[in-house]
Amino acid sequence: TPAVTPPAAAHAPADELADAPGREKAAQCGACHSLDYIRMNSRFLDLAGWTAVVNKMIKAFGAPIPKDDVDAIARYLAEQYGKPVATP
């Protein structure tokens, strides 16, 4: 069975986002909800999943996120908090 390795950021303190490109844009998420939600969903979402979530936050909940930031936020969240990658 392959080992599953979660991204290191999944273990960061609850009030911090991992220091990586896109962090400032992803910090916009904290305007509407706790950043803990990122960790709560992280093990289930890949890039497509995070993109869908960010778009849902904008369209369904009115999140004040510019459309131009969606890709950068989703990429940051997938890379730093995304679904764990199986290693051989």
Side-chain angles (χ1 to χ4, degrees):
T1 322
V4 175
T5 307
H11 302 292
D15 60 343
E16 294 180 15
L17 290 175
D19 187 15
R23 176 183 179 181
E24 297 78 24
K25 292 184 186 292
Q28 296 176 82
C29 300
C32 296
H33 59 73
S34 167
L35 297 177
D36 287 340
Y37 287 127
I38 293 170
R39 280 176 202 76
M40 290 174 10
N41 289 303
S42 65
R43 60 189 220 173
F44 304 109
L45 300 171
D46 57 10
L47 179 58
W50 279 115
T51 300
V53 166
V54 174
N55 280 313
K56 177 180 78 174
M57 295 298 168
I58 294 168
K59 293 175 185 168
F61 300 111
I65 296 172
K67 286 282 192 184
D68 292 346
D69 289 351
V70 172
D71 289 340
I73 292 170
R75 190 171 38 258
Y76 169 84
L77 294 173
E79 290 173 1
Q80 300 304 314
Y81 299 96
K83 187 186 283 189
V85 177
T87 55

